Amino acid sequence: MSTDTSAEPNIFERRESEARSYCRSFPTTFTKAQGSVMTDAEGNEYIDFLAGCSSLNYGHNDPDMKAALIEHISNDGIAHGLDMYTAEKAKFLEAFETHILEPRGMDYKIMMTGPTGTNAVEAAMKLARKITGRKNIIAFTNGFHGMTMGALSLTGNAGKRGGAGGGHLGDVTHLPYDKSLGDTDTLELIEAMLENGSSGVDAPAAFIFEPIQGEGGLNAASKEWMEGVARLAKKHGAMLIVDDIQSGIGRTGTYFGFEHTEIEPDMITQAKSLSGFGLPFAALLIKREHDIWKPAEHNGTFRGNTHAFVTGRVAIEKFWADDSFQKELAEKDALMKKRLTEISEIVPGSRLKGRGLMRGVDVGSGDLAGEICAKCFENGLIIETSGADDEVVKVLCALTIPTETLNKGFDILFSAVRDCVPAEQPMAAE
Amino acid sequence: MSTDTSAEPNIFERRESEARSYCRSFPTTFTKAQGSVMTDAEGNEYIDFLAGCSSLNYGHNDPDMKAALIEHISNDGIAHGLDMYTAEKAKFLEAFETHILEPRGMDYKIMMTGPTGTNAVEAAMKLARKITGRKNIIAFTNGFHGMTMGALSLTGNAGKRGGAGGGHLGDVTHLPYDKSLGDTDTLELIEAMLENGSSGVDAPAAFIFEPIQGEGGLNAASKEWMEGVARLAKKHGAMLIVDDIQSGIGRTGTYFGFEHTEIEPDMITQAKSLSGFGLPFAALLIKREHDIWKPAEHNGTFRGNTHAFVTGRVAIEKFWADDSFQKELAEKDALMKKRLTEISEIVPGSRLKGRGLMRGVDVGSGDLAGEICAKCFENGLIIETSGADDEVVKVLCALTIPTETLNKGFDILFSAVRDCVPAEQPMAAE
Amino acid sequence: MSTDTSAEPNIFERRESEARSYCRSFPTTFTKAQGSVMTDAEGNEYIDFLAGCSSLNYGHNDPDMKAALIEHISNDGIAHGLDMYTAEKAKFLEAFETHILEPRGMDYKIMMTGPTGTNAVEAAMKLARKITGRKNIIAFTNGFHGMTMGALSLTGNAGKRGGAGGGHLGDVTHLPYDKSLGDTDTLELIEAMLENGSSGVDAPAAFIFEPIQGEGGLNAASKEWMEGVARLAKKHGAMLIVDDIQSGIGRTGTYFGFEHTEIEPDMITQAKSLSGFGLPFAALLIKREHDIWKPAEHNGTFRGNTHAFVTGRVAIEKFWADDSFQKELAEKDALMKKRLTEISEIVPGSRLKGRGLMRGVDVGSGDLAGEICAKCFENGLIIETSGADDEVVKVLCALTIPTETLNKGFDILFSAVRDCVPAEQPMAAE
Amino acid sequence: MSTDTSAEPNIFERRESEARSYCRSFPTTFTKAQGSVMTDAEGNEYIDFLAGCSSLNYGHNDPDMKAALIEHISNDGIAHGLDMYTAEKAKFLEAFETHILEPRGMDYKIMMTGPTGTNAVEAAMKLARKITGRKNIIAFTNGFHGMTMGALSLTGNAGKRGGAGGGHLGDVTHLPYDKSLGDTDTLELIEAMLENGSSGVDAPAAFIFEPIQGEGGLNAASKEWMEGVARLAKKHGAMLIVDDIQSGIGRTGTYFGFEHTEIEPDMITQAKSLSGFGLPFAALLIKREHDIWKPAEHNGTFRGNTHAFVTGRVAIEKFWADDSFQKELAEKDALMKKRLTEISEIVPGSRLKGRGLMRGVDVGSGDLAGEICAKCFENGLIIETSGADDEVVKVLCALTIPTETLNKGFDILFSAVRDCVPAEQPMAAE
């Protein structure tokens, strides 16, 4: 393993900004990747339990997408199309319509917002304010929505917010997410704040939440809570925005992270795995009646990343044309839960977090979680922490990971946890 | 030409948000593109005088970049690498250091900010505020910096600002750009506002300007003005941010749009043509001493678009390893100026705008400019307007456009202008 | 009674802004007032249970203050002294030091902020932000702190906030006041929001609360809650600001509204009854170590309302030099509670609100409360509602009201309530 | 003279906040005042060229107002009336209607905003935003409008703005005031910023300016400039707010500071000398059609300072019932100009500032101006500086000052200037 620092590539230290982050946890230089395995310059292989933070839900270099992309490039297909009409965009939209929207009875317009999640979030914020004529947006504790000033105002993390250097992060009310206050029913609290005409919480333009909070610690909102928020949004004339960037596109076992609920979001953000191949691509789904944008009122140079349309279209056709993929996901979900339960049992005071294939274990301290992940990397597993104090060991493997690889990864994780949990702990429990 | 509306692809009208824009000017479906020629589904060819709004400075599907990218993909090279170390990122950084920074005596750190220009602008704003502990940023009339809330607060256009739906676009002072007030020396005015302790203009964290305002109407700041702003920034303890997203990467005849000046920006934004191939890629160049970011204090999922590192590296090595490309650019610059002068002469009251290969003609009205561009499209030329009232016909061809194609494009443009300018005008001047 | 509208004075309708309010509830023209009785132009007398919203805690035209003020004016004493030194300001400060601060072991500086409560609140906000370098101020649901933009940002009422016409009311987090969420311990909730580094609630510059919320519905915070907030403020490095404008100066039975607690506010706002005579006068008490103002950094033309210094000094010397006044207050408090309990018993579902001589009955609906107050006015009692929905009938009589007058006022109120409560209600309970 | 510091009253140092200011320039304790003479505790008399910063336009303790006020108090007249109808408010409004509004053909509603200038400014800002649905207010360099957060956002002075401790001072565009940029026509510049749809200056809710900037350095706007701003406001659908707090109520020789122009402000702020006696009193005049306030949408405890209604009514009846007072003012204006010209002639590089009885001399440096004022105080004259750098010696005597006293004051000032201007200066010019 190339973890000794002398092997660390000098060009990065010399020229890349100190803002760089993941590379500090995984100090090696990667050269290739296939499926759920990444390879570094020295030929070491790593099982990938990070999957581009859910941007690689179909794994690295899916062969069908890869073939289609190579063919497209070989034929001088458009790479950058601004937001002009291209054959590939048409095909992507048709696939999205046919396999995603129509089977779910969803009538949404698709807005190309610029290719990053934060572009989509910002577009949603702007549109919600335009529609309602209100400014206040209700976001939730531990939410993460992006790093540009609008999306950052929605984001809870103090360190990230501090990065704004004192710039304005207002016009947002942060209220407690589901189950974030012990036994207190946060929905009642939210309702009380909204119904009290003297609460100081201005009438909201929108509510925005993640079905499962990825960065915030794999907190999964209950069906009832999501439906409650949707009901409040409707009652108070606010847009319901579901930020499904990390939880969507199969991550919870269904295409959207809220499919098991009755909610009908006014807007849904999509990014990360939308291209299927890890290419920058984001979109905002807007209920037809809310698409009141004027031409170019929101734009962006890279709205037409045509390579992403090609791979994104293949992803939809390959995985979402029937229900076979979802069935696989259900099996992996069960396996994942089982393996994480085993791990949780050997960490006193720990608890399972998340839902579907977006799961982890809160081990109680950021130090311990960091130590576990570092040990995993030494043993060939790429895995990261999340949560306000980095206290959750988070498993975000590719949805397509072979069962064997998944088990192998969990074996490494289990060993690391056992090594890191203090010896005097109740190993007897095993 | 597929301009009759029955041929317009229904899927876009049915499913793409009304925010879409360029497709309205160029109502056909493109299928492929090579160099400076785009081809639509019916086989019509168009000369491209738009070049992805300066994102395709090296033309479509440059063969060397294309070959390198296909090879990379074929070998299962990393597509999405978060901000982990990859061999391709190392090579890109090395090329940037060797061929861009070192020859120009520039010692900058490179921050991967997320792959869109607006990500880079937002990162610059945050960092300037962090460094100085101040909030106010001075931006300029007719400036365009992006559509997320931070970058939008810097942007002048009322329509774009209106898209924010009343969200906060503050902590910015907009002052008049060079030559924007007739004969008034705007530098003196800016200085007066800053030196007056009761002007109400709070001490600035930064100044941000574009060397040439692309969206704002191809307004080119003079050397003296840019140097004056740099002097004021230094004097008042403010960061100097040059937004070189549209004007950089060869567009003005040199790599950066300000190389002919003495200024040393504290930060430089790069995007659009940075990947060389039109792929989403942006970066912020930060003077070494200002790189005070904490790890992950600004981040973003698509900071590691490795395909873009591959093509971006090829672009640098191919075009910037010696001065031959710059020499070509100087020739094209002269040709462009000559052809635009001819055009300007047949439009009464018109005037040339811009500098380098970022030029156009202010024809005095948005209606006329729009009519000219529409006529060009009918005749096989893709060209757009810019300016507060869309009054400038803007030429943003690929820098690599063959002279013959360039002349052919100008011929179409000249004809269109002649057709659109009212008959009683002094055609005798010809 | 001059309640028929033909008697309403035309000059007001003709020339006074529609913003006028109390005059709509009490449509007659007052000409004089003594103690707790106001007299109108037709000679009708009204018992005053409003007392200038607690600005006339010592009643109208207290004879000692009146004599001192007439003497001062007769001698050409200063009326307006900017913030120059005057003999009367010295005497006021000495009395405040001797009879208010020193006996309570309080070491505060006194800032003349401008003569209205909102001036004092704004000064406190500014100073807290200067001291801490933070922007966020935590205010509470149903709080009322004033109508200028800073104070209004702290105020909860949606109607008042709407008056800002969309101006910025940010940099404030509104959290639930004591007992505002049924059985939920709001202190725990506040603590949870502050201790969660990803809550989105930025580190606070200050907490500001009213010991009893006057406009918000006579909600009285418990001793434990106030002490809890004080503890949280200290722990999180935030200033503790007590807005004692309505609850202070004897209103709760002690000079300050929080004297029964262990809290030591960093700042205390004083206004309303500070002059004793109803003259505009406000001040901010600042713990000595926090008085970091630079000269004139906050100022205001009417900081030196010398008439108010004269009457304010007399008020302190007359009522606060020994404990006899406080003993009287304790007796009236008991009487008031008894009489309000009787009233509450005949209003099904009603409940007592407030503490000390700042009490009322929540009758469950604004319509009913309004009807009761209108009926009282017809019968010679001036009394108003408060609360988010105007649902509380509020008694704010002068602290000096004679017991007989107090009882007479309550008799009118009791009758009005009995008349207004629907007949089929359990009158049998009497 | 009690200027040695041992004589400085200890209670102020011990208990009054460091924010205190004027007392530092005039370190003695005042005990009484009549007309234009103030007397301190040691019996020293001072001619008052400050007049409560224009709050004592009719001098101290005008005998008619004094008599009326004593009578009112003696009769138990209302002191504090909230905003209930009182006989004294009616009489004040009638006098204002009869002697101020009607003779000038002005149809305005009068809003009692709270008794300080900043209350009136804040009310104007809120109303302008409500009416227009816009947020941006255009204010001017060197403007001073108050110290609460709304008014402070309009104020130019960096020191005052710094007092906000980083609180939000936005939604305001500061543009250059008349003649503030040498020969540049600032009106053209303002127009250019407004007419350029990409200037970044959002469509304004209002323009607010002072006819003469009191704190900003006695800058007097020309008739043409004021009319130009009025024209721009009308053209752009913005409210025109004239802040006449310091320049109004006779100060420029007419009741309003803009009577010599053709402008018809949508709102006019009044404070300072409105009570005539130096008592806290402010109002907002609102063109009838703009009085869209809902009841109590803006309020304030001290809107009904009835003492001020009494003296304010006497002031209007005494000074504004015919044109004799205005004629006197014209004479004093001429005298003042003559005496200041003499002074200016002995200060190299100095220049006259202001208009009417709001005049001064810019002596070129704050140090010199401060030295002059200190010397004046030693010799029995109270006079202050103004301007961004305190570089203007400002004469704001009572409008009622006897000619003899005025001349005596100017003699002291002339001597002080002569003593302070460096010896080698062209004294020969005398």
Side-chain angles (χ1 to χ4, degrees), chain C residues 38-261:
Chain C
M38 299 185 76
T39 306
D40 74 9
E42 299 172 30
N44 300 305
E45 296 194 338
Y46 301 84
I47 294 173
D48 186 2
F49 267 25
L50 182 49
C53 284
S54 211
S55 297
L56 293 158
N57 282 359
Y58 311 110
H60 294 268
N61 286 302
D62 174 89
D64 297 302
M65 299 179 208
K66 174 175 156 179
L69 180 57
I70 288 174
E71 192 194 353
H72 176 79
I73 300 172
S74 302
N75 290 339
D76 284 335
I78 308 286
H80 178 101
L82 287 167
D83 76 340
M84 294 191 274
Y85 297 139
T86 61
E88 287 72 22
K89 184 155 76 164
K91 285 184 203 157
F92 172 81
L93 288 170
E94 280 157 2
F96 198 88
E97 181 181 61
T98 306
H99 300 303
I100 305 300
L101 296 179
E102 289 181 353
R104 290 165 183 81
M106 295 169 74
D107 189 15
Y108 286 75
K109 299 288 282 295
I110 299 162
M111 177 183 177
M112 306 304 177
T113 60
T116 71
T118 202
N119 296 138
V121 169
E122 296 255 350
M125 296 174 78
K126 289 160 71 172
L127 184 57
R129 287 173 173 151
K130 271 177 66 74
I131 290 169
T132 60
R134 301 172 180 174
K135 285 193 299 181
N136 189 28
I137 297 183
I138 294 180
F140 293 95
T141 52
N142 292 60
F144 180 92
H145 301 280
M147 297 296 274
T148 49
M149 291 300 283
L152 188 54
S153 69
L154 303 171
T155 294
N157 186 280
K160 305 294 188 205
R161 295 174 71 84
H168 178 85
L169 297 176
D171 298 332
V172 173
T173 302
H174 295 267
L175 291 175
Y177 193 73
D178 191 23
K179 287 167 286 194
S180 64
L181 292 174
D183 292 337
T184 302
D185 182 342
T186 66
L187 206 57
E188 275 182 19
L189 183 145
I190 296 160
E191 188 158 16
M193 294 296 274
L194 284 170
E195 314 249 310
N196 174 358
S198 286
S199 70
V201 174
D202 294 325
F207 288 74
I208 184 167
F209 68 81
E210 303 154 279
I212 303 178
Q213 297 182 320
E215 301 309 300
L218 297 176
N219 310 305
S222 68
K223 180 176 181 297
E224 293 67 33
W225 189 86
M226 289 194 260
E227 290 171 350
V229 170
R231 179 177 50 77
L232 286 175
K234 193 160 198 171
K235 182 172 178 190
H236 290 275
M239 294 291 105
L240 180 69
I241 305 170
V242 173
D243 185 343
D244 212 24
I245 289 174
Q246 188 163 154
S247 54
I249 311 184
R251 179 55 61 187
T252 65
T254 50
Y255 185 81
F256 293 109
F258 54 84
E259 280 186 38
H260 61 304
T261 73

Side-chain angles (χ1 to χ4, degrees), chain D residues 258-303:
Chain D
F258 54 85
E259 279 185 37
H260 61 304
T261 73
E262 301 292 319
I263 71 176
E264 295 179 12
D266 295 297
M267 302 177 211
I268 305 162
T269 57
Q270 297 261 285
K272 293 202 187 278
S273 280
L274 187 57
S275 81
F277 206 72
L279 305 177
F281 185 15
L284 180 67
L285 308 186
I286 305 168
K287 263 198 175 172
R288 185 171 297 278
E289 63 266 32
H290 297 317
D291 183 28
I292 63 166
W293 287 111
K294 284 183 261 182
E297 206 172 13
H298 178 98
N299 60 18
T301 294
F302 294 116
R303 280 165 296 169

Side-chain angles (χ1 to χ4, degrees), chain C residues 36 57-59 250-253 319 324-340 355-359 395 397-407 410:
Chain C
S36 286
N57 282 359
Y58 311 110
R251 179 55 61 187
T252 65
F319 294 100
S324 54
F325 184 56
Q326 281 190 239
K327 285 180 179 163
E328 270 179 52
L329 296 182
E331 286 166 24
K332 274 177 200 154
D333 175 356
L335 174 58
M336 214 161 153
K337 188 171 176 184
K338 175 173 164 292
R339 296 298 313 255
L340 283 167
R355 182 164 64 81
L357 284 84
M358 191 168 176
R359 290 185 181 272
V395 180
C397 59
L399 310 180
T400 56
I401 191 169
T403 307
E404 194 188 330
T405 313
L406 183 59
N407 271 317
F410 273 118

Side-chain angles (χ1 to χ4, degrees), chain B residues 142 158 161 189 196-198 202, chain D residues 142 158 161 168 189 196-198 202:
Chain B
N142 292 61
R161 295 173 72 83
L189 183 145
N196 174 358
S198 285
D202 293 326
Chain D
N142 292 61
R161 294 174 71 85
H168 177 85
L189 183 144
N196 174 357
S198 285
D202 293 326

Side-chain angles (χ1 to χ4, degrees), chain A residues 96 108-114 117 119-128 208 241-243 266-271 274 281-287 291 293, chain B residues 15-17:
Chain A
F96 198 87
Y108 286 75
K109 299 289 281 295
I110 299 162
M111 178 184 176
M112 306 302 177
T113 60
N119 296 138
V121 169
E122 296 256 351
M125 295 174 78
K126 288 160 72 171
L127 184 57
I208 184 167
I241 306 170
V242 174
D243 184 344
D266 295 296
M267 302 177 212
I268 305 161
T269 57
Q270 296 262 287
L274 186 58
F281 185 16
L284 180 66
L285 308 185
I286 304 168
K287 263 199 173 172
D291 183 26
W293 288 111
Chain B
R15 286 293 171 196
E16 192 172 6
S17 165

Side-chain angles (χ1 to χ4, degrees), chain B residues 210-225:
Chain B
E210 302 154 278
I212 302 177
Q213 296 182 321
E215 301 308 302
L218 297 177
N219 311 306
S222 67
K223 179 176 183 295
E224 293 68 33
W225 190 87

Side-chain angles (χ1 to χ4, degrees), chain A residues 7-18 20 23-24 28-30, chain B residues 83-94 97 109-110 112 288 291 309:
Chain A
E8 196 176 344
N10 280 326
I11 182 68
F12 299 112
E13 295 204 327
R14 197 162 69 238
R15 287 292 171 196
E16 194 174 3
S17 164
E18 296 302 317
R20 67 193 189 275
C23 53
R24 299 173 191 267
T28 192
T29 299
F30 295 97
Chain B
D83 75 340
M84 294 193 273
Y85 298 139
T86 62
E88 288 72 22
K89 183 155 75 164
K91 285 186 205 156
F92 171 81
L93 288 171
E94 280 156 2
E97 180 181 62
K109 300 287 283 295
I110 299 161
M112 306 302 178
R288 185 171 297 278
D291 183 28
F309 294 145

